[in-house]
Amino acid sequence: MTENPVKTPVEEAVKPPTGPCCVTVLGAGRSGTSATTRAMQAIGIDLGDRLRRGRGKNPTGFFEDNDILRLNRKLKRTLGIRGDSVRLLEPGELDAPTVRAIHDECVDTLRRRFGDRMLWGYKYGRTLRFLPFWQRVWDDLGLDIRYVLALRNPLSVARSRERLDPQRGSQENSDLEWLVNVVPYLHLVRDRPMAVVDYDCVMSDPERELDRMAAGLGLPVEDRSGIEFYCREFLKPGMRHSRFTIEDLISDERSNRLVREAYGWLHRMAIGELSVRDSGFWTDWERIAAELEDLRPVLRQMERLKAEARSAALNPLGPFQVVPDLVRRARGR
């Protein structure tokens, strides 16, 4: 497989922040979001001192703040979103009183934890899926928000999922997860600084990619020791288990057409062929989002079928499962 060509379109330089600034990582799971977040730390973005410890599927570290992780998990449970969920959020879900209560808790927590910091950031895998919720939080805190979109070839995303869960890691299912976690609310970042960072590009030339990230965020790097450590000590060849080209994705008959189209646009941004300000991109993204919206009833039904399958697996005897409990109670045990 050949290296991706790197081009640099001429675009207006991003101005550095003049007030409190938060950089948040967007992207689908298994897309290198943890390595990307660690790269943010390398260019001088404060991730806080309460990070989740690395283990299991991310032995080098998740780089997630424990307090923010707890709040996101609470939001996810309240909305009934599981890790493998493929449904779209319904209109009004984020306006429910239970969700508004979590909003207030988020504002209080972020103000307490990061209120005295001028430049900080965090990662949570479903931030983009819940983006309208988080934008309200950031607005209430008066933050200058900037984004890093972590990108990886959807074929690699599926292979990574498959090692953890063969059923969830099928290309067809993984692509649907990718779509619902990337497409619906990306338009909300249109007017904010955003750097698109491809995991394969980072592995191939990390120093160049970290410089691209910093420039895209408008963050001049004065001390390069963090970048040098990241390139020399953090990244290891064994961190990447698969690599595919855009041509591989296009030719794979199992891949979803909308995924091929959406990833194709973002990939062009990541390799420097396209500016994040390109109007043609945003116009076609509206079309992709509309086609995904047309799938809403199908995705909703898939969610119901998944829930029924989980229930059947946990309770294989169905209504007769309660009989042993009744017998035990009758015997006073």
Side-chain angles (χ1 to χ4, degrees), residues 171-182:
Q171 192 64 52
E172 295 83 357
N173 188 83
S174 181
D175 279 355
L176 290 176
E177 285 192 38
W178 192 95
L179 283 170
V180 300
N181 279 286
V182 174

Side-chain angles (χ1 to χ4, degrees), residues 98 233 297 318 332:
T98 51
E233 302 294 339

Side-chain angles (χ1 to χ4, degrees), residues 24-255:
T24 187
V25 176
L26 309 175
R30 314 314 299 164
S31 295
T33 54
S34 296
T36 300
T37 309
R38 177 62 181 83
M40 285 168 37
Q41 188 179 55
I43 64 172
I45 297 172
D46 184 359
L47 301 181
D49 55 2
R50 289 180 46 77
L51 296 182
R52 178 186 179 191
R53 300 176 67 178
R55 64 178 183 274
K57 61 184 179 181
N58 277 356
T60 57
F62 291 87
F63 302 100
E64 293 174 314
D65 180 89
N66 279 306
D67 289 338
I68 299 176
L69 178 62
R70 174 184 59 80
L71 291 167
N72 272 293
R73 286 175 169 171
K74 186 174 183 179
L75 175 63
K76 185 177 71 169
R77 288 193 302 271
T78 299
L79 294 170
I81 297 293
R82 292 173 54 89
D84 62 352
S85 172
V86 295
R87 75 173 178 87
L88 298 172
L89 291 181
E90 298 296 333
E93 272 193 277
L94 295 176
D95 296 318
T98 51
V99 175
R100 294 297 302 181
I102 299 173
H103 166 277
D104 295 342
E105 187 178 357
C106 289
V107 171
D108 291 342
T109 300
L110 295 187
R111 182 176 287 126
R112 171 174 50 81
R113 287 289 316 286
F114 298 99
D116 60 346
R117 321 230 177 154
M118 291 300 292
L119 177 62
W120 59 281
Y122 74 93
K123 159 222 165 185
Y124 177 69
R126 290 176 190 81
T127 296
L128 185 48
R129 190 167 189 181
F130 304 145
L131 194 59
F133 170 89
W134 279 106
Q135 285 194 334
R136 294 172 186 170
V137 172
W138 300 326
D139 286 346
D140 283 355
L141 291 168
L143 292 172
D144 176 349
I145 288 291
R146 306 185 178 207
Y147 300 100
V148 175
L149 177 59
L151 191 66
R152 193 180 187 189
N153 191 302
L155 296 181
S156 290
V157 171
R159 299 305 184 276
S160 182
R161 289 195 193 285
E162 187 178 32
R163 284 192 293 273
L164 302 173
D165 183 341
Q167 183 174 1
R168 186 178 172 189
S170 70
Q171 192 64 52
E172 295 83 357
N173 188 83
S174 181
D175 279 355
L176 290 176
E177 285 192 38
W178 192 95
L179 283 170
V180 300
N181 279 286
V182 174
V183 171
Y185 298 122
L186 188 66
H187 67 279
L188 296 178
V189 313
R190 181 170 183 170
D191 296 325
R192 302 301 309 161
M194 179 176 73
V196 182
V197 180
D198 187 280
Y199 183 69
D200 287 326
C201 294
V202 171
M203 294 299 295
S204 298
D205 193 342
E207 185 172 3
R208 177 190 61 186
E209 291 306 304
L210 267 62
D211 283 336
R212 282 188 63 254
M213 179 196 297
L217 296 172
L219 303 177
V221 179
E222 299 176 357
D223 180 359
R224 300 191 65 83
S225 60
I227 294 178
E228 293 170 0
F229 180 87
Y230 180 87
C231 299
R232 184 180 64 252
E233 302 294 339
F234 177 76
L235 291 182
K236 305 294 181 185
M239 293 173 63
R240 178 168 58 179
H241 300 286
S242 63
R243 185 179 183 189
F244 297 94
T245 65
I246 185 69
E247 290 77 15
D248 294 327
L249 178 65
I250 293 171
S251 63
D252 193 308
E253 61 183 15
R254 298 167 303 165
S255 67

